Amino acid sequence: WTDRPIFWFDLSAEDWSYGMGYGGAKAATMVQFRARIDKNPQEFEKLVAFLDKQQEFALEGEEYARQKEAPSAKTATWYNKKSFSLIHRQTHDEELFSADLAKRIAEGMLTLMSIYDWLNI
């Protein structure tokens, strides 16, 4: 399961989070990911462009110590991740106990579905 993207919701003592990404992709998975970007960087840029216009999800993941040469500046952040996730983290507040939380998570996951589908081709 670490080499397939997943959706998750996590509740900890300090906060809650949800998102989509890898649970620790192997190097071979990320080689395939970069090769797919290399084939059509404009397609990938278009796919993830909406993320620049939203505040819900942040791209996280450890980066390689030696940066890899990405096909474009817009793909470089993604290209240099050892593994990655798009995540929303929030400290506990009233929303955690409201009926609106499930709707927010469902809508958020739907916004990430196009990236999830692209990763599963």
Side-chain angles (χ1 to χ4, degrees):
W1 65 270
T2 60
D3 286 310
R4 304 300 283 168
I6 58 169
F7 285 97
W8 80 89
F9 174 82
D10 182 58
L11 180 61
S12 72
E14 297 83 29
D15 61 13
W16 60 271
S17 66
Y18 80 105
M20 185 275 300
Y22 291 103
K26 293 179 184 148
T29 299
M30 296 311 290
V31 166
Q32 291 174 342
F33 171 73
R34 288 189 299 277
R36 183 123 188 255
I37 291 174
D38 288 341
K39 285 182 185 175
N40 192 342
Q42 294 82 14
E43 175 191 38
F44 185 75
E45 290 172 12
K46 185 178 178 182
L47 175 70
V48 299
F50 77 94
L51 293 168
D52 293 336
K53 300 172 186 122
Q54 55 85 47
Q55 299 292 315
E56 188 73 2
F57 297 102
L59 177 63
E60 290 187 359
E62 184 180 355
E63 294 197 2
Y64 291 102
R66 282 187 266 165
Q67 297 291 291
K68 300 180 181 306
E69 188 174 335
S72 70
K74 291 183 179 182
T75 60
T77 304
W78 295 81
Y79 207 83
N80 284 290
K81 298 287 187 202
K82 290 183 180 181
S83 187
F84 65 84
S85 61
L86 292 163
I87 186 168
H88 175 84
R89 260 186 242 289
Q90 189 165 321
T91 56
H92 295 174
D93 61 11
E94 289 126 24
E95 184 179 22
L96 179 61
F97 304 100
S98 78
D100 294 335
L101 181 62
K103 181 180 177 186
R104 177 181 182 177
I105 292 169
E107 288 173 357
M109 288 182 175
L110 281 173
T111 66
L112 300 177
M113 198 65 183
S114 59
I115 299 172
Y116 176 84
D117 288 341
W118 186 89
L119 292 169
N120 276 304
I121 291 177

